[in-house]
Amino acid sequence: MDSFINPDYEKETSIKKIQEAIDQKESFPSIILTNFFKKEFYKEKEKEIKKLHYKRESIPDQFSFAHAKANPMHILDNKQLLSLLSTILKRKVSSLNGEAYYFSWKDYTLLHDKNKENAGIDILIDFTEAWEESFGGQYIFKDIQGRYLKILSVPNAVFIIERKQGVQKYLQYINNLAKGKKRYFLLATIKK
Amino acid sequence: MDIHKALSDKEMINWLNNKYRNTKAIAELNKKFKNHSPFSHIEMHDFLNPEKVKTILKALKKEEFLEKESDLFKFMQTHDFKTVDNKELKEFYHFLSSEAFITFIEAITELKISTKIDMSASLYQNTDFLLPHDDRLEKRKIAYMLYLTELKVNEGGKLLLYKTKAGHPSEPEEAITPKFNTFIIFKVSEKSFHEVEEVIANTQRITIGGWFHG
């Protein structure tokens, strides 16, 4: 079966560079792999993610968003992706448990003292087209010293971050400049 | 301090609209404060004497507003007025923390508060917001805000007061549109979930606000 991943990312030299780039970032070991999927495959999956059955959920002092089971897209359980992640992360990634999300105007997630995430590796696969920084909706990763990392939305990109103990994330409130637009992505977390 | 003495205090005469300086008015405010839902609060329109509120707004234009941003909010704010140099703002700070004014607030709320207050000015512009939270921190007992600008109903910036369900805000029960020279107070508690709705127009939402402490 032909790979649907950009062949540049499957070269041994590329993988080494990716591993080095992740290791260099002490506080937030991470990388964004742009143009990750082959164009046709990405376009097909971009259509699929919009057709999933989303459920809107909100606890106003914690979050507001829509989410759906990502299984029908067959990305998170794809052997090629799991194999590549296993090579990059130097550990066996046999499955990814995650969901599809969309965030639109007035959506957000908040940091919450009573609901802290354990350390882990987040994998975010971005399907958002034409998103501007001024809309909000970026993921912010924050450590206990108050240092932070902001991840801008890039279509057809895979973002990998190793969240150390104490690092929490939130998705910035999406403002009225994004009226009518939706930020789509798949998000999975690998427990440490 | 006795309420009659507080109402005839020189600073109260200087600052507060005459219509609030009598015991009948206070009794009515007290009744409304206790009965308003989803939690005790009250709006007092035309709160300050007109020339005083204009002076404050003018003084604020000389103050530095700093950008504030977190997961919960995005807006601009001054430093606390405790250390402000501006004469008019300093006088307003002293008025709000005066024994006479504290007596007035205690009479409306039936809550015991000290003369320790926090006070700063906030500026919300297009896309600025403050998401739902309950304000509980340290010894905050009553939250207050004075609106210094006016927004239309469709411009956002409303103060939303939430109903509570299982310890979390569920849905807004009341939406207060900012009206010039309106003073709002609410009791800080595990139920006092509120939000400043995003401003969605090119209109500035300016307030002076803070907390009275227990």
Side-chain angles (χ1 to χ4, degrees):
Chain A
M1 184 186 168
D2 282 348
S3 174
F4 57 78
I5 295 170
N6 181 341
D8 287 348
Y9 288 124
E10 295 179 313
K11 291 175 190 162
E12 210 172 299
T13 48
S14 304
I15 288 171
K16 200 158 181 256
K17 278 182 192 166
I18 291 168
Q19 288 169 332
E20 282 169 3
I22 294 173
D23 292 342
Q24 273 169 13
K25 292 164 195 158
E26 204 180 304
S27 306
F28 304 100
S30 59
I31 193 157
I32 296 179
L33 308 175
T34 54
N35 297 313
F36 185 77
F37 298 116
K38 287 180 179 166
K39 205 173 173 182
E40 304 73 34
F41 180 84
Y42 174 73
K43 287 287 165 202
E44 184 190 315
K45 293 297 167 187
E46 192 199 355
K47 278 182 200 160
E48 283 180 28
I49 198 170
K50 290 176 184 171
K51 288 179 185 165
L52 295 174
H53 296 289
Y54 288 92
K55 187 183 171 196
R56 183 147 274 286
E57 287 211 54
S58 171
I59 298 178
D61 62 338
Q62 293 186 359
F63 57 79
S64 171
F65 54 68
H67 63 136
K69 288 196 167 81
N71 310 14
M73 291 181 71
H74 294 297
I75 289 184
L76 298 179
D77 59 356
N78 186 275
K79 282 182 182 164
Q80 292 163 17
L81 177 67
L82 295 174
S83 164
L84 181 64
L85 288 173
S86 299
T87 312
I88 291 172
L89 297 169
K90 298 178 226 170
R91 58 180 281 174
K92 177 80 181 157
V93 181
S94 49
S95 65
L96 284 175
N97 293 317
E99 283 197 303
Y101 293 85
Y102 83 71
F103 284 69
S104 53
W105 183 29
K106 298 184 180 181
D107 283 340
Y108 55 89
T109 66
L110 294 174
L111 300 173
H112 214 273
D113 289 345
K114 291 174 189 166
N115 196 11
K116 288 192 173 173
E117 283 188 292
N118 291 323
I121 298 167
D122 287 337
I123 313 288
L124 188 148
I125 306 174
D126 207 328
F127 288 94
T128 314
E129 288 293 324
W131 195 262
E132 292 177 24
E133 195 177 351
S134 61
F135 297 170
Q138 268 71 245
Y139 257 117
I140 309 277
F141 293 79
K142 205 172 172 187
D143 70 10
I144 44 176
Q145 279 86 35
R147 289 175 296 205
Y148 69 90
L149 175 72
K150 187 193 234 183
I151 305 303
L152 301 181
S153 173
V154 181
N156 193 11
V158 171
F159 171 65
I160 303 168
I161 181 167
E162 184 193 338
R163 257 187 312 98
K164 295 181 176 179
Q165 196 60 41
V167 173
Q168 302 293 307
K169 65 175 180 287
Y170 67 90
L171 189 133
Q172 289 176 313
Y173 174 84
I174 294 179
N175 63 49
N176 72 89
L177 303 180
K179 214 169 179 177
K181 294 183 165 62
K182 286 177 180 170
R183 170 136 166 57
Y184 287 98
F185 57 85
L186 300 179
L187 178 65
T189 299
I190 303 167
K191 288 178 186 167
K192 282 197 105 179
Chain B
M1 184 185 270
D2 170 61
I3 188 66
H4 297 282
K5 198 177 168 192
L7 294 175
S8 56
D9 178 87
K10 196 180 159 191
E11 272 195 291
M12 290 284 274
I13 296 168
N14 271 343
W15 284 93
L16 191 65
N17 185 333
N18 193 38
K19 71 176 180 178
Y20 294 113
R21 286 195 306 102
N22 63 79
T23 50
K24 194 182 165 202
I26 289 176
E28 277 173 25
L29 294 171
N30 169 249
K31 198 175 162 188
K32 285 181 184 169
F33 180 81
K34 284 196 292 190
N35 295 334
H36 277 173
S37 61
F39 47 86
S40 299
H41 72 278
I42 194 162
E43 286 175 74
M44 290 174 263
H45 301 296
D46 305 313
F47 190 66
L48 299 179
N49 287 325
E51 71 280 8
K52 284 292 189 190
V53 71
K54 278 180 203 159
T55 311
I56 293 174
L57 189 55
K58 201 175 163 190
L60 269 186
K61 288 186 176 158
K62 295 175 196 158
E63 288 300 302
E64 186 187 13
F65 284 80
L66 306 166
E67 282 183 25
K68 300 272 175 183
E69 186 170 0
S70 78
D71 55 327
L72 194 66
F73 52 75
K74 183 170 90 71
F75 56 86
M76 297 178 93
Q77 194 173 44
T78 63
H79 291 294
D80 194 282
F81 286 0
K82 199 175 182 177
T83 54
V84 76
D85 289 327
N86 183 285
K87 185 176 166 281
E88 287 81 14
L89 297 177
K90 199 176 260 187
E91 281 175 7
F92 184 56
Y93 177 87
H94 284 300
F95 165 59
L96 242 64
S97 55
S98 68
E99 211 183 322
F101 190 75
I102 295 298
T103 304
F104 171 76
I105 295 294
E106 284 181 335
I108 294 171
T109 62
E110 293 179 34
L111 294 167
K112 187 79 192 148
I113 50 172
S114 73
T115 53
K116 183 185 179 323
I117 65 166
D118 297 314
M119 182 188 282
S120 60
S122 302
L123 164 64
Y124 287 73
Q125 303 181 93
N126 195 354
T127 75
D128 288 349
F129 61 91
L130 173 60
L131 295 171
H133 65 290
D134 62 15
D135 262 6
R136 281 189 299 161
L137 190 71
E138 294 162 349
K139 289 185 172 177
R140 291 173 180 177
K141 214 156 183 181
I142 298 168
Y144 70 87
M145 66 223 68
L146 173 70
Y147 290 126
L148 293 168
T149 49
E150 207 147 316
L151 276 86
K152 295 190 184 94
V153 175
N154 61 358
E155 292 181 323
K158 295 184 196 78
L159 176 69
L160 305 179
L161 307 182
Y162 278 78
K163 288 182 193 171
T164 307
K165 196 177 173 186
H168 294 285
S170 54
E171 57 178 314
E173 183 175 326
E174 180 144 16
I176 299 171
T177 303
K179 192 169 172 8
F180 181 71
N181 197 15
T182 293
F183 192 73
I184 295 182
I185 53 173
F186 65 80
K187 183 182 173 181
V188 175
S189 74
E190 69 285 353
K191 286 184 181 173
S192 57
F193 284 105
H194 62 284
E195 171 184 0
V196 177
E197 190 186 44
E198 179 192 349
V199 172
I200 56 170
N202 291 322
T203 305
Q204 292 189 329
R205 181 191 192 273
I206 302 173
T207 58
I208 289 179
W211 297 271
F212 296 101
H213 291 240

